[in-house]
Amino acid sequence: LENNPKFYKEIAGIVNDATGRGTVPVKAIETAMKITNQFIYSNRLKVSQVKIINDLFNPYKYYNYDPVTRKIMFQEMIKSTIGLSAMYAGLIAMGGKATDDPDDPDFFKVRFGHTHYDLTGGTGATFKFAYKFIRNTIKQANGEKLADSQTPFMLAAHFARTKLAPWPTAAVDYL
């Protein structure tokens, strides 16, 4: 480990992703992020949320990881999955309501009466979008007719709209 720069670089990137820093591999994108931060609310956090999901659950990433990183990430994926599942199960056992329908606004949340708890720290919305985007892209590719609001383009447009910074949101609302 002492002379393993690949391991240190991978772990540094993962730590940045896990803490919301969200690094990007290309300097031009890094520069563009400074500009887009004026339009997209907390763009580094959004990048880090997508990347940490990718870091934990993408088999191709595991294949390319350094063996030590692979072991650490596999353990983190198992702990995260078991921990989140146990929290959901515990809250449901205590009388909370949950849904497994990605079209339900309470997907990835537990509800007690009128109070909703998002145990994913907001990352559930990204999971929900990714699931619906992939599902509807497959449906569209297979020739299935989708409602206009459910096309992959419209799902992406709606997701992007919800991630705008405050002043662009006000401008879009005004229009």
Side-chain angles (χ1 to χ4, degrees), residues 83-109:
L84 197 56
S85 299
M87 284 191 292
Y88 274 106
L91 290 170
I92 291 167
M94 293 178 355
K97 304 290 183 219
T99 179
D100 60 358
D101 178 10
D103 293 317
D104 189 316
D106 286 338
F107 185 60
F108 272 120
K109 296 177 185 168

Side-chain angles (χ1 to χ4, degrees), residues 44-63:
R44 284 193 178 282
L45 178 61
K46 303 302 179 256
V47 168
S48 72
Q49 288 175 337
V50 171
K51 286 183 69 182
I52 199 66
I53 292 167
N54 186 45
D55 291 342
L56 287 172
F57 298 106
N58 182 349
Y60 184 73
K61 293 258 320 197
Y62 279 83
Y63 177 76

